[in-house]
mmCIF file with all atom_site columns, all heavy atoms in Angstrom:
data_model
loop_
_atom_site.group_PDB
_atom_site.id
_atom_site.type_symbol
_atom_site.label_atom_id
_atom_site.label_alt_id
_atom_site.label_comp_id
_atom_site.label_asym_id
_atom_site.label_entity_id
_atom_site.label_seq_id
_atom_site.pdbx_PDB_ins_code
_atom_site.Cartn_x
_atom_site.Cartn_y
_atom_site.Cartn_z
_atom_site.occupancy
_atom_site.B_iso_or_equiv
_atom_site.pdbx_formal_charge
_atom_site.auth_seq_id
_atom_site.auth_comp_id
_atom_site.auth_asym_id
_atom_site.auth_atom_id
_atom_site.pdbx_PDB_model_num
ATOM 1   N N   . ILE A 1 128 ? 74.549 92.954  76.115 1.00 0.00 ? 389 ILE A N   1
ATOM 2   C CA  . ILE A 1 128 ? 75.597 93.600  75.317 1.00 0.00 ? 389 ILE A CA  1
ATOM 3   C C   . ILE A 1 128 ? 75.585 95.110  75.553 1.00 0.00 ? 389 ILE A C   1
ATOM 4   O O   . ILE A 1 128 ? 76.628 95.730  75.777 1.00 0.00 ? 389 ILE A O   1
ATOM 5   C CB  . ILE A 1 128 ? 75.408 93.279  73.827 1.00 0.00 ? 389 ILE A CB  1
ATOM 6   C CG1 . ILE A 1 128 ? 75.672 91.786  73.579 1.00 0.00 ? 389 ILE A CG1 1
ATOM 7   C CG2 . ILE A 1 128 ? 76.325 94.137  72.959 1.00 0.00 ? 389 ILE A CG2 1
ATOM 8   C CD1 . ILE A 1 128 ? 75.351 91.342  72.168 1.00 0.00 ? 389 ILE A CD1 1
ATOM 9   N N   . SER A 1 129 ? 74.383 95.701  75.534 1.00 0.00 ? 390 SER A N   1
ATOM 10  C CA  . SER A 1 129 ? 74.272 97.138  75.766 1.00 0.00 ? 390 SER A CA  1
ATOM 11  C C   . SER A 1 129 ? 74.751 97.506  77.165 1.00 0.00 ? 390 SER A C   1
ATOM 12  O O   . SER A 1 129 ? 75.417 98.533  77.365 1.00 0.00 ? 390 SER A O   1
ATOM 13  C CB  . SER A 1 129 ? 72.823 97.595  75.579 1.00 0.00 ? 390 SER A CB  1
ATOM 14  O OG  . SER A 1 129 ? 72.388 97.377  74.256 1.00 0.00 ? 390 SER A OG  1
ATOM 15  N N   . GLY A 1 130 ? 74.424 96.663  78.140 1.00 0.00 ? 391 GLY A N   1
ATOM 16  C CA  . GLY A 1 130 ? 74.864 96.917  79.509 1.00 0.00 ? 391 GLY A CA  1
ATOM 17  C C   . GLY A 1 130 ? 76.374 96.873  79.646 1.00 0.00 ? 391 GLY A C   1
ATOM 18  O O   . GLY A 1 130 ? 76.963 97.632  80.429 1.00 0.00 ? 391 GLY A O   1
ATOM 19  N N   . THR A 1 131 ? 77.016 96.010  78.870 1.00 0.00 ? 392 THR A N   1
ATOM 20  C CA  . THR A 1 131 ? 78.472 95.919  78.903 1.00 0.00 ? 392 THR A CA  1
ATOM 21  C C   . THR A 1 131 ? 79.116 97.182  78.346 1.00 0.00 ? 392 THR A C   1
ATOM 22  O O   . THR A 1 131 ? 80.111 97.680  78.873 1.00 0.00 ? 392 THR A O   1
ATOM 23  C CB  . THR A 1 131 ? 78.941 94.689  78.109 1.00 0.00 ? 392 THR A CB  1
ATOM 24  O OG1 . THR A 1 131 ? 78.351 93.506  78.675 1.00 0.00 ? 392 THR A OG1 1
ATOM 25  C CG2 . THR A 1 131 ? 80.451 94.551  78.156 1.00 0.00 ? 392 THR A CG2 1
ATOM 26  N N   . VAL A 1 132 ? 78.538 97.718  77.286 1.00 0.00 ? 393 VAL A N   1
ATOM 27  C CA  . VAL A 1 132 ? 79.049 98.973  76.719 1.00 0.00 ? 393 VAL A CA  1
ATOM 28  C C   . VAL A 1 132 ? 78.971 100.087 77.757 1.00 0.00 ? 393 VAL A C   1
ATOM 29  O O   . VAL A 1 132 ? 79.924 100.862 77.933 1.00 0.00 ? 393 VAL A O   1
ATOM 30  C CB  . VAL A 1 132 ? 78.269 99.354  75.447 1.00 0.00 ? 393 VAL A CB  1
ATOM 31  C CG1 . VAL A 1 132 ? 78.671 100.743 74.962 1.00 0.00 ? 393 VAL A CG1 1
ATOM 32  C CG2 . VAL A 1 132 ? 78.511 98.326  74.350 1.00 0.00 ? 393 VAL A CG2 1
ATOM 33  N N   . LEU A 1 133 ? 77.853 100.169 78.458 1.00 0.00 ? 394 LEU A N   1
ATOM 34  C CA  . LEU A 1 133 ? 77.716 101.188 79.501 1.00 0.00 ? 394 LEU A CA  1
ATOM 35  C C   . LEU A 1 133 ? 78.707 100.961 80.628 1.00 0.00 ? 394 LEU A C   1
ATOM 36  O O   . LEU A 1 133 ? 79.232 101.923 81.211 1.00 0.00 ? 394 LEU A O   1
ATOM 37  C CB  . LEU A 1 133 ? 76.286 101.180 80.062 1.00 0.00 ? 394 LEU A CB  1
ATOM 38  C CG  . LEU A 1 133 ? 75.203 101.781 79.181 1.00 0.00 ? 394 LEU A CG  1
ATOM 39  C CD1 . LEU A 1 133 ? 73.854 101.707 79.877 1.00 0.00 ? 394 LEU A CD1 1
ATOM 40  C CD2 . LEU A 1 133 ? 75.537 103.226 78.847 1.00 0.00 ? 394 LEU A CD2 1
ATOM 41  N N   . GLN A 1 134 ? 78.983 99.709  80.949 1.00 0.00 ? 395 GLN A N   1
ATOM 42  C CA  . GLN A 1 134 ? 79.958 99.411  82.001 1.00 0.00 ? 395 GLN A CA  1
ATOM 43  C C   . GLN A 1 134 ? 81.353 99.873  81.585 1.00 0.00 ? 395 GLN A C   1
ATOM 44  O O   . GLN A 1 134 ? 82.113 100.387 82.411 1.00 0.00 ? 395 GLN A O   1
ATOM 45  C CB  . GLN A 1 134 ? 79.973 97.911  82.306 1.00 0.00 ? 395 GLN A CB  1
ATOM 46  C CG  . GLN A 1 134 ? 80.847 97.556  83.499 1.00 0.00 ? 395 GLN A CG  1
ATOM 47  C CD  . GLN A 1 134 ? 80.786 96.078  83.844 1.00 0.00 ? 395 GLN A CD  1
ATOM 48  O OE1 . GLN A 1 134 ? 80.224 95.278  83.095 1.00 0.00 ? 395 GLN A OE1 1
ATOM 49  N NE2 . GLN A 1 134 ? 81.371 95.717  84.958 1.00 0.00 ? 395 GLN A NE2 1
ATOM 50  N N   . PHE A 1 135 ? 81.692 99.700  80.304 1.00 0.00 ? 396 PHE A N   1
ATOM 51  C CA  . PHE A 1 135 ? 82.974 100.210 79.809 1.00 0.00 ? 396 PHE A CA  1
ATOM 52  C C   . PHE A 1 135 ? 83.082 101.718 80.083 1.00 0.00 ? 396 PHE A C   1
ATOM 53  O O   . PHE A 1 135 ? 84.137 102.215 80.473 1.00 0.00 ? 396 PHE A O   1
ATOM 54  C CB  . PHE A 1 135 ? 83.107 99.969  78.307 1.00 0.00 ? 396 PHE A CB  1
ATOM 55  C CG  . PHE A 1 135 ? 83.397 98.545  77.922 1.00 0.00 ? 396 PHE A CG  1
ATOM 56  C CD1 . PHE A 1 135 ? 83.461 98.186  76.584 1.00 0.00 ? 396 PHE A CD1 1
ATOM 57  C CD2 . PHE A 1 135 ? 83.603 97.570  78.876 1.00 0.00 ? 396 PHE A CD2 1
ATOM 58  C CE1 . PHE A 1 135 ? 83.733 96.885  76.211 1.00 0.00 ? 396 PHE A CE1 1
ATOM 59  C CE2 . PHE A 1 135 ? 83.875 96.253  78.516 1.00 0.00 ? 396 PHE A CE2 1
ATOM 60  C CZ  . PHE A 1 135 ? 83.937 95.908  77.175 1.00 0.00 ? 396 PHE A CZ  1
ATOM 61  N N   . TRP A 1 136 ? 81.998 102.438 79.843 1.00 0.00 ? 397 TRP A N   1
ATOM 62  C CA  . TRP A 1 136 ? 82.002 103.884 80.018 1.00 0.00 ? 397 TRP A CA  1
ATOM 63  C C   . TRP A 1 136 ? 82.031 104.283 81.496 1.00 0.00 ? 397 TRP A C   1
ATOM 64  O O   . TRP A 1 136 ? 82.819 105.131 81.915 1.00 0.00 ? 397 TRP A O   1
ATOM 65  C CB  . TRP A 1 136 ? 80.763 104.476 79.340 1.00 0.00 ? 397 TRP A CB  1
ATOM 66  C CG  . TRP A 1 136 ? 80.498 105.913 79.632 1.00 0.00 ? 397 TRP A CG  1
ATOM 67  C CD1 . TRP A 1 136 ? 79.580 106.419 80.520 1.00 0.00 ? 397 TRP A CD1 1
ATOM 68  C CD2 . TRP A 1 136 ? 81.145 107.056 79.059 1.00 0.00 ? 397 TRP A CD2 1
ATOM 69  N NE1 . TRP A 1 136 ? 79.612 107.786 80.525 1.00 0.00 ? 397 TRP A NE1 1
ATOM 70  C CE2 . TRP A 1 136 ? 80.560 108.210 79.635 1.00 0.00 ? 397 TRP A CE2 1
ATOM 71  C CE3 . TRP A 1 136 ? 82.153 107.215 78.104 1.00 0.00 ? 397 TRP A CE3 1
ATOM 72  C CZ2 . TRP A 1 136 ? 80.961 109.501 79.301 1.00 0.00 ? 397 TRP A CZ2 1
ATOM 73  C CZ3 . TRP A 1 136 ? 82.553 108.503 77.766 1.00 0.00 ? 397 TRP A CZ3 1
ATOM 74  C CH2 . TRP A 1 136 ? 81.957 109.627 78.355 1.00 0.00 ? 397 TRP A CH2 1
ATOM 75  N N   . ARG A 1 137 ? 81.181 103.644 82.296 1.00 0.00 ? 398 ARG A N   1
ATOM 76  C CA  . ARG A 1 137 ? 80.986 104.081 83.681 1.00 0.00 ? 398 ARG A CA  1
ATOM 77  C C   . ARG A 1 137 ? 82.038 103.554 84.645 1.00 0.00 ? 398 ARG A C   1
ATOM 78  O O   . ARG A 1 137 ? 82.399 104.236 85.605 1.00 0.00 ? 398 ARG A O   1
ATOM 79  C CB  . ARG A 1 137 ? 79.601 103.646 84.176 1.00 0.00 ? 398 ARG A CB  1
ATOM 80  C CG  . ARG A 1 137 ? 78.456 104.362 83.493 1.00 0.00 ? 398 ARG A CG  1
ATOM 81  C CD  . ARG A 1 137 ? 77.120 103.995 84.097 1.00 0.00 ? 398 ARG A CD  1
ATOM 82  N NE  . ARG A 1 137 ? 76.838 102.557 84.013 1.00 0.00 ? 398 ARG A NE  1
ATOM 83  C CZ  . ARG A 1 137 ? 75.614 102.051 83.927 1.00 0.00 ? 398 ARG A CZ  1
ATOM 84  N NH1 . ARG A 1 137 ? 74.568 102.852 83.932 1.00 0.00 ? 398 ARG A NH1 1
ATOM 85  N NH2 . ARG A 1 137 ? 75.437 100.752 83.843 1.00 0.00 ? 398 ARG A NH2 1
ATOM 86  N N   . ASP A 1 138 ? 82.506 102.323 84.429 1.00 0.00 ? 399 ASP A N   1
ATOM 87  C CA  . ASP A 1 138 ? 83.346 101.677 85.440 1.00 0.00 ? 399 ASP A CA  1
ATOM 88  C C   . ASP A 1 138 ? 84.839 101.755 85.150 1.00 0.00 ? 399 ASP A C   1
ATOM 89  O O   . ASP A 1 138 ? 85.657 101.480 86.033 1.00 0.00 ? 399 ASP A O   1
ATOM 90  C CB  . ASP A 1 138 ? 82.956 100.200 85.585 1.00 0.00 ? 399 ASP A CB  1
ATOM 91  C CG  . ASP A 1 138 ? 81.563 100.043 86.184 1.00 0.00 ? 399 ASP A CG  1
ATOM 92  O OD1 . ASP A 1 138 ? 81.005 101.061 86.630 1.00 0.00 ? 399 ASP A OD1 1
ATOM 93  O OD2 . ASP A 1 138 ? 81.049 98.917  86.218 1.00 0.00 ? 399 ASP A OD2 1
ATOM 94  N N   . ALA A 1 139 ? 85.213 102.112 83.913 1.00 0.00 ? 400 ALA A N   1
ATOM 95  C CA  . ALA A 1 139 ? 86.638 102.247 83.608 1.00 0.00 ? 400 ALA A CA  1
ATOM 96  C C   . ALA A 1 139 ? 87.155 103.586 84.114 1.00 0.00 ? 400 ALA A C   1
ATOM 97  O O   . ALA A 1 139 ? 86.412 104.569 84.188 1.00 0.00 ? 400 ALA A O   1
ATOM 98  C CB  . ALA A 1 139 ? 86.869 102.122 82.103 1.00 0.00 ? 400 ALA A CB  1
ATOM 99  N N   . LEU A 1 140 ? 88.424 103.627 84.461 1.00 0.00 ? 401 LEU A N   1
ATOM 100 C CA  . LEU A 1 140 ? 89.063 104.873 84.870 1.00 0.00 ? 401 LEU A CA  1
ATOM 101 C C   . LEU A 1 140 ? 89.730 105.479 83.632 1.00 0.00 ? 401 LEU A C   1
ATOM 102 O O   . LEU A 1 140 ? 90.827 105.096 83.239 1.00 0.00 ? 401 LEU A O   1
ATOM 103 C CB  . LEU A 1 140 ? 90.108 104.611 85.953 1.00 0.00 ? 401 LEU A CB  1
ATOM 104 C CG  . LEU A 1 140 ? 90.820 105.857 86.502 1.00 0.00 ? 401 LEU A CG  1
ATOM 105 C CD1 . LEU A 1 140 ? 89.822 106.811 87.147 1.00 0.00 ? 401 LEU A CD1 1
ATOM 106 C CD2 . LEU A 1 140 ? 91.915 105.465 87.489 1.00 0.00 ? 401 LEU A CD2 1
ATOM 107 N N   . TRP A 1 141 ? 89.032 106.417 83.011 1.00 0.00 ? 402 TRP A N   1
ATOM 108 C CA  . TRP A 1 141 ? 89.538 107.091 81.818 1.00 0.00 ? 402 TRP A CA  1
ATOM 109 C C   . TRP A 1 141 ? 90.366 108.296 82.252 1.00 0.00 ? 402 TRP A C   1
ATOM 110 O O   . TRP A 1 141 ? 89.831 109.233 82.840 1.00 0.00 ? 402 TRP A O   1
ATOM 111 C CB  . TRP A 1 141 ? 88.382 107.528 80.922 1.00 0.00 ? 402 TRP A CB  1
ATOM 112 C CG  . TRP A 1 141 ? 87.517 106.407 80.447 1.00 0.00 ? 402 TRP A CG  1
ATOM 113 C CD1 . TRP A 1 141 ? 86.261 106.096 80.886 1.00 0.00 ? 402 TRP A CD1 1
ATOM 114 C CD2 . TRP A 1 141 ? 87.835 105.444 79.440 1.00 0.00 ? 402 TRP A CD2 1
ATOM 115 N NE1 . TRP A 1 141 ? 85.775 105.001 80.221 1.00 0.00 ? 402 TRP A NE1 1
ATOM 116 C CE2 . TRP A 1 141 ? 86.723 104.576 79.324 1.00 0.00 ? 402 TRP A CE2 1
ATOM 117 C CE3 . TRP A 1 141 ? 88.948 105.221 78.623 1.00 0.00 ? 402 TRP A CE3 1
ATOM 118 C CZ2 . TRP A 1 141 ? 86.704 103.510 78.424 1.00 0.00 ? 402 TRP A CZ2 1
ATOM 119 C CZ3 . TRP A 1 141 ? 88.929 104.163 77.729 1.00 0.00 ? 402 TRP A CZ3 1
ATOM 120 C CH2 . TRP A 1 141 ? 87.812 103.323 77.637 1.00 0.00 ? 402 TRP A CH2 1
#
Side-chain angles (χ1 to χ4, degrees):
I389 292 173
S390 297
T392 301
V393 173
L394 286 180
Q395 187 176 9
F396 285 176
W397 170 259
R398 292 185 301 209
D399 293 351
L401 182 61
W402 300 106

